[in-house]
Amino acid sequence: MAQDGGPRTGAISMASRAGRITRGSVVVGVFALATLWGAAAASAHVTVSAPGASSGGSDQVITFRVPTESATASTVGLQVKLPTDTPIASVLVAPHTGWTEKVTSVKLAKPIVTDDGNITEAVSTITWKADTPADGIKPGEFDQFVVIAGQLPTARSLTFPAIQTYSDGTTVSWIETQAPGSTDEPEHPAPVLSLTSSGTGSPGGSSTAAPTVTASTSSSSSGTATTGVILGAIGVLLGAGALAVSLAVSLRRRRTP
């Protein structure tokens, strides 16, 4: 009887440890999934980019990147407001297959002085609309809308408030900016394009969330996503280890008389 009790007690102990490992693996796995979800949410902002853009620069390609956050509806509309206090001298919109654009201009309170004469009007709003629901940006996808700026203003950054429209009629307003001195990122940050000083040679045109970086291609989002993947892998390995221990315990108990 004493000999029978020894192995059984050991098996129970091992099973208890296996149970604790399994519960720990579940916790790690859940944490990893939460991290991955947070990374996806952080990277799902409407952003703007223009590599090499500088203050006062000309003929600059500006790209607006639009991901679809909804799990059930497609993005069918995008409205972007251009700054009129520091206006862009001229804007050309690249054609986008399946979408129709509308450009709205306003008269400037102060004309823009150029070598070719004064400019008294500037583009204030660009609206893109999908021709059909099937042409929209489907859940889990993103698209890019491109314009060319003839001459950028003399400024450190440009803010482009945007409104995203979904096929179910809902809208998301990417118009929030950080309070002065705050480090908290708004829930729906407006796309911000940072400009370098002319002639500095440093990289410019980064997209920020007024003013922290929020682009899905930013290093911070990439780092968060990588961390989530690593933690998820750890959770899977721990879970597999716990399963192996549980199977070993089960086999040992079956073999013990």
Side-chain angles (χ1 to χ4, degrees):
M1 293 295 291
Q3 292 178 351
D4 292 340
R8 292 179 181 177
T9 302
I12 294 174
S13 178
M14 291 182 66
S16 177
R17 287 196 295 271
R20 289 196 295 271
I21 294 175
T22 302
R23 289 193 294 272
S25 302
V26 171
V27 171
V28 172
V30 171
F31 177 75
L33 290 174
T35 303
L36 285 170
W37 174 258
S43 65
H45 303 330
V46 172
T47 58
V48 60
S49 64
S54 61
S55 175
S58 60
D59 298 328
Q60 179 63 58
V61 175
I62 300 176
T63 302
F64 297 97
R65 180 170 294 178
V66 184
T68 293
E69 287 185 312
S70 174
T72 57
S74 299
T75 297
V76 295
L78 175 69
Q79 182 183 81
V80 176
K81 292 185 178 298
L82 280 64
T84 54
D85 53 344
T86 52
I88 299 174
S90 63
V91 175
L92 295 177
V93 182
H96 197 93
T97 304
W99 292 66
T100 300
E101 73 276 357
K102 178 182 178 181
V103 178
T104 303
S105 299
V106 296
K107 188 174 181 63
L108 298 174
K110 182 180 179 181
I112 302 172
V113 179
T114 69
D115 295 337
D116 298 324
N118 294 345
I119 298 176
T120 59
E121 289 189 350
V123 174
S124 60
T125 306
I126 304 175
T127 302
W128 286 273
K129 184 178 181 180
D131 296 334
T132 67
D135 293 315
I137 308 170
K138 297 176 177 58
E141 298 181 352
F142 78 95
D143 208 341
Q144 300 181 122
F145 299 84
V146 179
V147 303
I148 294 180
Q151 180 179 321
L152 295 172
T154 302
R156 297 182 61 183
S157 64
L158 299 175
T159 302
F160 299 90
I163 297 177
Q164 183 177 10
T165 302
Y166 285 96
S167 55
D168 60 4
T170 60
T171 60
V172 179
S173 298
W174 303 98
I175 61 175
E176 299 174 357
T177 57
Q178 283 182 330
S182 174
T183 58
D184 295 332
E185 179 183 334
E187 183 177 359
H188 299 100
V192 178
L193 180 66
S194 298
L195 303 178
T196 61
S197 299
S198 299
T200 60
S202 59
S206 61
S207 175
T208 63
T212 55
V213 176
T214 60
S216 58
T217 55
S218 69
S219 59
S220 60
S221 294
S222 176
T224 303
T226 301
T227 302
V229 171
I230 293 173
L231 288 175
I234 292 173
V236 172
L237 291 174
L238 288 176
L243 179 60
V245 172
S246 297
L247 290 174
V249 171
S250 178
L251 291 173
R252 183 169 181 176
R253 293 184 64 182
R254 289 179 180 179
R255 293 173 181 175
T256 302

